Amino acid sequence: MAGTKKNFKATKKFEQKHLKTVLEKRKAGAKIKQQHILKTKKHARKATDAEFFKGPEDADKAAKSRQSKTSHVNEMSVDDFFGGGFEIVDKAPKPKPSKSSSKQLGKRKRDEPQISQSDDDDAEDDIEISDAEQPVGSDSEEDDTRLDDGDLGMSKDAMDALAKDDPDFYKFLKENDPDALDFDDADLAEVDELSASEDDGDDSPRKKRKKSTQSNAAVASSPDNELTQEMVARWKASMTENHSLKAARQIVLAFRSAAHLNEDEDDTGGNRQPYTISSPEVFHDVLIVALRQIPEVIQHHIPVKESASGKVYVPTESKKFKPLSMLLRSFTSSILHMLPTLSDDATLKLTLSALTPLVPYILTFRKLLKTLIKTVVGFWSQPTSSDPTRITAFLVLRRLMVVGDKGTREALLKATYQGLIAGARTTNVNTLQGINLMKNSAAELWGLDQSIGYTTAYNFIRQLAIHLRNSIVHNKNDSYKRVYNWQYIHSLDFWSFVLSEHCNTLREAEAGKESQLRLLIYPLVQVTLGAMRLIPTATYFPLRFHMIRSLLRISRSTGTYIPLASVLIEVLNSAEMRRSPKQATLKALDFHVAYKAPKAYLRTRVYQDGVGEQVVDLFSEYFVLWSTNIAFPEFALPVIIMLKRWLKQSRKKASGNNNGKLRSGLVLLVQKLESNAKFIEGKRAKVDFAPRDRTQVDAFLKDYSWEKTPVGAYVVAQRKAGAEKAKMMEEARKEDERKRKEEEQEALEEDVAEMESEDEDEDEDEDEVMDDMDEDDDEENEDEESSDDE
């Protein structure tokens, strides 16, 4: 019984003190074995890519070089040991550790962090990068990826957790081994070691090089290390002439200090920056040198190979890749940290353009890549960004789309669409130009990989259809607002941009095949027609006109017939257009930046004139698409009859519409349609083929310019008049804006003058009060003196 009780106590004690640690170690070991198995499978899948980029001979050499790594444990670092995949190694005889040595080693003992499946899943959900499409790399790449994800080694986050859990041990490390807490500089110190090995060769002992590196790091991290222009100029010359890695490391450290300028230690995680910058000239020099020289240095030491299809190969098996990847991550993180603090367009353009040559290297760091996409898309879609900034950010996104794998491309397209919708929330005269620029630029991305572009576009158009269906089924008071807003309108308009650009008949003829995106024309047209008829009232006529223009763009580019005449006839037959309007002194409504007419505009002559102009303009743009078609007379006949019927009804005195401007515009439109019908009939009378000959029918007037037709000439004149009117309105708007700013400046100056005058009055009042007090004091003193004399 005594033995059993003793064993029970020992078991309980083991469970309390050691069981958790043992289980964690077993899980970590099982995870490492699983990673080793996955690594061998990845190597087999990447064999074909290695032969494609490097050839079979180079691939065999790379494999042999990996197999011939040193097997001596004492000469291997922790990264090399784990990168070796637990191969059989020659263990050197070790002396028996004494108590003192065990204590010394205990100081640097680090527990492996627990590896959970949830962390890996989260990392996979961030950006899915497929193994087959990933840039070809070596073992070191996978080791770096594991270290990036925090699977092995002791990271800075783990040290921060240690400071919270065991502050005494953290204080002991800080006092006795501060190098263990300095991660960024220690990582970048490998760049100095690599540069020293290039300059001096392998003859110098490792201990000396390590001491020199530590001394350099200590100098760089000293609190009074003031950065000067002479230091920056010296580093610049060294990088320009010799592509020095030492100078690149110092520039990256200086750039990191500039990125975290004017930040407290609490904001930077308690880390002191290696350099202090107090001069704006030095700050400017550091930015220029870092943003222009660092990408060139990295490209010189790790050149990127790119195939004709856009697939890139980064030589990750090079000995320079690991230390330079640390430098690259630090430099890119500093850029992403600095970008939100910049406001100058030229500086923003330079900073964003520095990311473009770094894109192939960043593809291997998924977390950094996710942050990069989010930041660049934010600047591209920000309403306050200028056009040059948007274009520069788009070039970075386009480069990512070209060289990225399928997972990266899909994540990029989703982030771009979300950024576009967020940036289109507010639409006015000032933001409309930027929104159109975003639509045109983002539409190009969907054509770079049409298989992924089709999938993402289908999902987003399906979401728009679901919103429309919910608004129809759940017909509540505010259910229509899910559809009738600027974001929904710009979404439909954007997809019309995408389909009109990549389903263009000329582009498809050049490619020799139909675009995969052409299948999306029908669902997009159906959703757009359903959205414009959701609430068929006069209040939302501007929204209807926006959507009709989107469909006209698709029809013009793809050659697809979309019936739009009935939608415009519904506008003319509404109660708003059949009755005579009332006079009003309102300003003309700008239909380009409005999707809803204010209540004050309804039933007014100003609004009716504007709607009439839009109807005539859209009718002419609709019929000019088929102005050279052999069936134009039959195609235009129903519309001509309905327009004449409406004009006849409008002439009635009791129930007609006496708006002469509207009627004159429709009469001119009818005349042009009839003239074009007669023109086609005259050309059609000279043909000698039957309607069943589809080839000849399609070729009818194919080479005839549409501008020479009666409707075409009318549309050309209408467009020219519209452009002049838009120019005049823009000039008037700018003049009003200038006058408003001048009035605000004058009001501000008047307020300042009033405040100054009030301050002067208060000063005068205070002086008078002080004088009165002095006089009272003098009188009291005189009275006291007189009383003393008495």
Side-chain angles (χ1 to χ4, degrees), residues 623-629 632 676 679-680 701 706 709 711-712:
F623 281 106
V624 80
L625 299 176
W626 316 103
S627 60
T628 59
N629 193 282
F632 184 85
N676 202 88
F679 169 77
I680 295 297
L701 295 182
W706 63 269
T709 61
V711 174

Side-chain angles (χ1 to χ4, degrees), residues 60-88:
D60 294 339
K61 291 180 181 178
K64 291 179 180 179
S65 63
R66 287 196 297 267
Q67 292 175 1
S68 62
K69 289 181 179 178
T70 178
S71 299
H72 203 289
V73 179
N74 296 338
E75 296 178 1
M76 296 172 66
S77 63
V78 178
D79 297 337
D80 296 333
F81 178 76
F82 286 109
F86 294 98
E87 298 172 352
I88 300 176

